[in-house]
Amino acid sequence: FFFFFPGNKELEPLKYTKVAAAAAVSRRKAEACMQGTTSLLSHCLGKGENVALVLRDVGVLLIEGVRVHMKFYPGFLERLLGKETAEKVFKVPQLLDLMVSQVAPMASLTFSGRVIVFP
């Protein structure tokens, strides 16, 4: 089934089988992991906490009050854009705020220190 949102936007349910295959885990494990993560995220946001959601090999989604922004790992941008284009992006000072190092302490990115790591 589908969920409908204002503006005629549809939200398609996750395809746990595809996620499980990509992660090389069972469907049950993939579903439990995703549901657990979304439940924890929902709980934190419901309490008004700031959250850093770490998405392995992609970057960090930062939610601070009503402000939401994404910081990407340079390696992800390189895979997404291609090495040549990514190198140009890395040289633009205004875009450096969109990146974060994979070795950066994630708790330092959010005021509350609440960090959720999505495997």
Side-chain angles (χ1 to χ4, degrees):
F1 64 94
F2 293 89
F3 298 96
F4 293 94
F5 291 95
N8 298 322
K9 300 203 188 290
E10 292 182 14
L11 177 63
E12 187 175 332
L14 285 171
K15 294 180 174 51
Y16 294 111
T17 304
K18 285 186 178 183
V19 173
V25 298
S26 71
R27 183 193 186 287
R28 175 180 263 163
K29 186 171 187 174
E31 186 174 351
C33 178
M34 289 190 290
Q35 287 179 351
T37 302
T38 55
S39 177
L40 177 58
L41 181 60
S42 176
H43 174 77
C44 293
L45 295 176
K47 290 175 59 179
E49 295 181 15
N50 296 328
V51 178
L53 177 62
V54 180
L55 303 167
R56 185 181 61 160
D57 298 332
V58 175
V60 182
L61 178 67
L62 296 162
I63 304 168
E64 297 169 327
V66 296
R67 185 172 179 234
V68 177
H69 59 282
M70 184 76 194
K71 291 185 176 273
F72 297 97
Y73 296 137
F76 172 77
L77 291 175
E78 195 171 285
R79 287 188 307 276
L80 183 70
L81 302 172
K83 187 172 184 163
E84 189 176 302
T85 304
E87 286 177 358
K88 291 176 186 175
V89 169
F90 299 155
K91 293 177 183 176
V92 178
Q94 297 86 344
L95 298 179
L96 292 177
D97 190 42
L98 296 175
M99 291 181 275
V100 65
S101 168
Q102 281 186 277
V103 296
M106 294 304 144
S108 68
L109 295 175
T110 180
F111 293 116
S112 71
R114 175 71 70 167
V115 177
I116 300 172
V117 179
F118 189 78

